[in-house]
Amino acid sequence: MFIDTRTSEEQQADGTIPGAIHVPRNAVEAFLDPTHRPLFTAEELADLPPVPEPGQQIIVLCNLGLASSLSAASLQRIGLTGATDVEGGFQAWKAAGLPVIRPGAV
C-alpha cells in the first residue's frame, strides 16, 4: 500500500505516483487504524482507503520526507508494523527518475 500525504496543491504542482492513495497527513492514523472504522458512516467508509493488515507493507510519502517519517512511526505504534516511509519524500522519488504522473496527464 502506497500512501501519499502531500497536499492536493503539492500533488497538482508536482504530479502523483501511480497507484498511490492520497491520505492527508492529519488523517493518516484515523483513516488507516482499523479500530476507528466504527466511527465513520457507510458513506464515509466508501471513500476511505482499505484497512491494511498488521504486517502489510505500507509506504508513506510526503513532500520532503519529514512528515512521512512521523506518519510511519504513528502507524507502527498502532500495530501496523509494515509501515515505513520514503527518505527524501516525493522530491527524492522524482529526482531518482521513478514513475510520476505529471499534472494534467490523463
Side-chain angles (χ1 to χ4, degrees), residues 10-60:
E10 288 170 325
Q11 290 181 337
Q12 290 169 1
D14 286 333
T16 57
I17 295 172
I21 301 167
H22 181 232
V23 178
R25 168 61 192 111
N26 64 348
V28 168
E29 296 83 358
F31 285 7
L32 297 179
D33 185 342
T35 65
H36 290 166
R37 290 300 163 120
L39 303 174
F40 295 98
T41 66
E43 185 176 277
E44 292 168 331
L45 286 171
D47 292 331
L48 295 183
V51 174
E53 296 295 322
Q56 181 178 353
Q57 185 174 31
I58 304 165
I59 302 169
V60 186

Side-chain angles (χ1 to χ4, degrees), residues 38-100:
L39 303 174
F40 295 98
T41 66
E43 185 176 277
E44 292 168 331
L45 286 171
D47 292 331
L48 295 183
V51 174
E53 296 295 322
Q56 181 178 353
Q57 185 174 31
I58 304 165
I59 302 169
V60 186
L61 175 134
C62 64
N63 196 45
L64 297 172
L66 303 172
S68 59
S69 293
L70 297 172
S71 294
S74 292
L75 292 174
Q76 289 177 7
R77 278 193 298 281
I78 62 174
L80 299 171
T81 58
T84 189
D85 71 312
V86 174
E87 187 174 326
F90 180 82
Q91 297 307 319
W93 176 280
K94 185 170 72 171
L98 295 168
V100 172

